[in-house]
């Protein structure tokens, strides 16, 4: 016994040391991690030269590839492995037994021995034997090492034999040939055989074969020598196909059984003694019992539930075939009952056992019952649907008919009978040629045959013969199929679309008219003068195929009549013979007068019958006019004139068409207003008008109350009918102006400006007098309010209609008087002598932007307002504002330096 052993015994558990000392074979105790806890002298001698065993792991002493210690801890079972000693390299066998405490492995005892050589002398014989085997064969010795393997192993797994020979059987798991479960099952069988507990073991497992996953059967038998098991031979056979067939057979049997059990039929066999011998099929819920309860029962048991079936069984037992229909618990069954008999056979032949012509003595009867509840309900539902379909067809306002392959009418509805003015007996069974004139019948028959040939639906339009106005019908033909999916004939639906065609033509006409109106509006963008605007609109309307004549009339200053400004169309002296007064009275109730006064379109749909058109009827009829539309040309609150449009057909102006003309009137009114304003800007001489405004207005009252002066000037009109004004307060705190401005009902925004001398506020107004003036081609220069009286200073073209300007101011204030009127030549201004009128070089938008920038302190330093503030005031993007500023600056500089 070595010194190492002695020293360890002094330190270890005395009982464990005593047990180890009593063991002859080299043995050691290790903890579950493999650390050596104690050992005997034989073990110390066997692993001599390693060092102090107290610091060693068992894996450092013996190199076992299969790690039997880990397997013993994992499985709580004895394991065997093999491997070389670290000290000598000599191969040894390791047996490991787990020690359990409180349900878990607390330590293991490992013994080391020389590997047995049970059949080395017979190795050549064993090798020849295993190689000759068709299956894969290998031999395992008591240390669970694979001693020899056949070439069949390589064929099965693709793993060469030298990769496993001499290694622990655990290598089969390590190489991925078997999984964990199969390995443990194989080890169980090996332990049983080496212990002499079994002489034949069969293990079926899924393994990895050379051509993929498979199933093998391991058949193990022991090899004994001198009454001791020295080896186990394992013959491995590929049973993948067999197992697959077995599983498929089991699946098929299960499926067949399920199908038979779930068949929508009930099979009952009775023997010759009228007792139930067999039953199979759907559940016997209708009988309130399990099918097993019916076996060996007399057929009388069925009598309360299905007496007709019982009677059929008795007839079948007498050799007859019977049938019955039974309703059980709301389910309907049809039952066919056949006799079973022992056939008469020739000598030596086996009896057939079924009924037939050569039937012998009756041996029983078989009944097959089928649940036809759903089919019966479907048939009833189909019948109901057929009746409903018949009702729907008959209630249809469109003629509907069904014809067979020969073209004979089989089904017709009431609408078709009414259209043909005949009865059903004459139509059913007849053909097209029997009911319609030859030409129409041939066309319709050709459509029907085309549907049969293509087996596709067809929609055509036809005009049937008629004594009065020609009608148009839409004929829809389609094939219909029978239960066998074969075409049985055609079904046709005829719909009168005469009115629809008329509406379609009307819609096409309306679309073209709307396009004409849109083209006219687009063309206005190139017209810059009033004459060009009037010419563009009238010419386009008169040149179209829809209208004969168009004219624009305007009211001259001081006159009550509308005077033609421009006309177009091939007419004579129609305008010379008509007079249109704008006031009610003589010739003042016609469509043109009402349109001018009210600002709404007026229409005469028929000049022959409209009583208000009486004064102009004769002249209109002579020129071929049948209907008239009077369109006011308005912008804002101002009517700039009237557009008259004439057509050679009655009811020529639909509501949709008039909506387009309403838009056209607004566009032309805007264009005329813009032309007037442009004329004001470009005129050499202008009228300077001063109006006195009296009455109770917020600014009038505030000026009187606070003894101050208000000046509202430099109106800038934005693009959304808003006006920006600048308010200056003199003689009072500017807050007075703010208070008055906020009391205005049309104030939309108010902003305080930083200038001390004014202007003090920027006001954004809707419904402003400056807007009214711009609509009539005038420009409000400024408004001054003091001592309770307002004065409005206006600039207008020299030939402007002062009455229109006065009316525009009247729209906004209670009492207005024209107190001054003077003509002024712009060339009188010293600046214009040298540079011309810079104002004429600017567009309206550029002028508005420059004014807003100037009076908001944009050009002060530091600036009182930036581009974002200006853009907010004008409700435009800041980039757009900067673009207008740059262009405006450039035009002013051009006027200064290039003139």
């Amino acid at each position: 016994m070595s010194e190492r052993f002695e020293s360890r015994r002094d330190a270890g558990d005395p009982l464990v040391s005593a047990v180890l000392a009593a063991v002859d074979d080299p043995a050691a105790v290790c903890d579950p991690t493999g650390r050596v806890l104690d050992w005997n002298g034989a073990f110390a001698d066997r692993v001599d030269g390693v060092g102090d065993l107290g610091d060693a792991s068992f894996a450092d002493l013996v190199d076992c590839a299969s790690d039997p210690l880990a397997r013993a801890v994992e499985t709580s079972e004895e394991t065997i492995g093999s491997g070389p000693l670290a000290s000598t390299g000599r191969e040894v066998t390791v047996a490991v037994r787990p020690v359990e405490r409180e349900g878990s492995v607390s330590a293991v005892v490992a013994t080391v021995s020389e590997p047995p050589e049970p059949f080395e002398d017979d190795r050549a014989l064993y090798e020849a034997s295993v190689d000759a085997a068709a299956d894969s064969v290998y031999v395992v010795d008591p240390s669970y090492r694979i001693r020899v393997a056949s070439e069949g192993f390589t064929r099965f797994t693709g793993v060469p034999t030298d990769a496993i020979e001499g290694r622990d059987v655990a290598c089969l798991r390590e190489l991925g040939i078997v999984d964990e479960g199969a390995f443990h099952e194989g080890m169980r069988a090996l332990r049983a055989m080496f212990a002499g507990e079994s002489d034949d073991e069969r293990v079926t497992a899924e393994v990895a074969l050379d051509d993929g996953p498979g199933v093998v059967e391991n058949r193990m038998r022991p090899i004994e020598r001198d009454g001791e098991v020295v080896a186990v031979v394992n013959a491995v056979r590929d049973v993948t196909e067999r197992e697959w067939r077995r599983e498929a057979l089991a699946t098929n049997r299960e499926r067949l059984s399920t199908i038979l059990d779930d068949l929508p039929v009930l099979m009952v066999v009775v023997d010759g003694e009228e007792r139930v011998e067999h039953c199979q099929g759907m559940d016997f819920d209708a009988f309130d019992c399990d099918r097993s309860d019916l076996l060996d029962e007399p057929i009388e048991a069925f009598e309360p539930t299905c007496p007709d079936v019982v009677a059929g069984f008795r007839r079948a037992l007498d050799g007859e075939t019977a049938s019955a229909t039974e309703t059980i618990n709301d389910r309907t069954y049809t039952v066919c009952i056949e006799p079973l008999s022992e056939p008469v056979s020739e000598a030596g032949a086996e009896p057939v056992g079924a009924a037939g012509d050569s039937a012998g003595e009756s041996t029983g009867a078989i009944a097959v019952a089928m649940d036809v509840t759903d089919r019966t309900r479907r048939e009833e539902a189909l019948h109901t649907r057929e009746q409903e379909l018949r009702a729907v067809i008959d209630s249809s306002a469109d003629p509907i008919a069904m014809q067979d392959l020969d073209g004979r009418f089989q089904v017709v509805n009431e609408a078709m009978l009414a259209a043909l003015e005949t009865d059903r007996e004459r139509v059913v069974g007849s053909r097209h040629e029997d009911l319609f004139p030859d030409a129409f019948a041939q066309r319709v028959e050709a459509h029907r045959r085309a549907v049969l040939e293509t087996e596709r639906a067809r929609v055509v339009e036809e005009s049937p013969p008629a004594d009065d106005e020609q009608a148009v019908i839409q004929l829809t033909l389609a094939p219909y199929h029978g239960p066998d999916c074969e075409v049985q004939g055609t079904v046709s639906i005829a719909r009168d679309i005469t009115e629809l065609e008329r509406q379609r033509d009307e819609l096409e006409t309306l679309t073209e008219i709307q396009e004409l109106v849109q083209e006219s509006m687009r063309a206005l963008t190139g017209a810059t003068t009033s004459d060009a605007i009037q010419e563009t609109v009238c010419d386009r309307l008169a040149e179209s195929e829809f209208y004969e004549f168009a004219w624009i009339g305007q009211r001259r200053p001081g006159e009550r009549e509308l005077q033609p400004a421009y006309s177009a169309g091939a007419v004579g002296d129609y305008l010379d013979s008509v007079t249109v007064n704008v006031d009610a009275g003589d010739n003042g109730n016609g469509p043109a007068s009402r349109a001018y006064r009210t600002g709404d379109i007026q229409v005469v749909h028929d000049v022959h019958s409209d009583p208000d058109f009486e004064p102009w009827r004769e002249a209109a009829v002579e020129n071929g006019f049948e209907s008239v539309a009077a369109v006011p040309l308005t912008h804002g609150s101002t009517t700039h004139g009237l557009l008259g449009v004439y057509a050679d057909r009655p009811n020529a102006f639909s509501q949709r068409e008039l909506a387009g003309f309403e838009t056209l009137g607004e566009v032309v009114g805007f264009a005329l207003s813009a032309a007037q304003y442009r004329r004001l800007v470009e005129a050499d001489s202008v009228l300077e008008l001063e109006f006195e405004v009296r009455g109770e207005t917020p600014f009038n009252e505030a000026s009187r109350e606070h003894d101050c002066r208000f000046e509202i000037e430099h109106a800038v009109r934005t693009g959304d009918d808003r006006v920006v004004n600048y308010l200056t307060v003199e003689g009072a705190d500017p807050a007075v102006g703010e208070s008055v401005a906020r009391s205005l009902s049309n104030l939309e925004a108010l902003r305080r400006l930083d200038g001390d001398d004014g202007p003090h506020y920027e006001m954004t107004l809707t419904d402003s007098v400056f807007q009214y003036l711009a609509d009539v081609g005038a420009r409000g220069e400024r408004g001054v309010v003091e001592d309770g009286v307002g004065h409005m200073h206006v600039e207008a073209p020299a030939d402007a209609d002062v009455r229109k300007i006065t009316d525009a101011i009247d729209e906004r204030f209670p009492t207005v008087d024209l107190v001054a009127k003077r003509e002024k030549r712009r060339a009188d201004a010293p600046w214009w002598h040298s540079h011309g009128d810079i104002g004429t070089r600017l567009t309206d938008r550029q002028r508005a932007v420059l004014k807003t920038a100037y009076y908001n302190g944009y050009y002060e330093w530091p600036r009182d307002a930036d581009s974002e503030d200006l853009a907010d005031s004008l409700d435009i993007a800041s980039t757009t504002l900067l673009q207008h500023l740059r262009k405006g600056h450039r035009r002013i500089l051009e006027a200064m330096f290039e003139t």
Side-chain angles (χ1 to χ4, degrees), residues 687-766:
L687 284 179
E688 289 186 342
L689 307 175
E690 182 179 349
F691 294 90
E692 187 176 84
V693 179
R694 295 183 177 274
E696 302 298 324
T697 70
F699 279 107
N700 283 357
E701 294 177 357
S703 69
R704 185 166 46 247
E705 178 181 353
H706 296 279
D707 190 22
C708 63
R709 181 176 185 272
F710 300 106
E711 184 170 344
I712 303 170
E713 59 183 342
H714 304 293
V716 177
R717 188 173 181 179
T718 66
D720 52 356
D721 290 333
R722 297 186 309 165
V723 174
V724 178
N725 298 113
Y726 297 93
L727 172 64
T728 301
V729 182
E730 298 177 0
D733 190 325
V736 173
E738 178 181 2
S739 176
V740 177
R742 293 195 182 280
S743 70
L744 299 177
S745 60
N746 60 332
L747 179 71
E748 186 168 298
L750 182 69
R751 189 159 65 92
R752 181 73 163 89
L753 302 179
D754 294 334
D756 293 332
D757 298 331
H760 298 114
Y761 294 96
E762 178 187 82
M763 298 187 300
T764 302
L765 304 173
T766 59

Side-chain angles (χ1 to χ4, degrees), residues 343-352:
V344 178
S345 59
E346 297 181 2
E350 294 291 334
V352 177

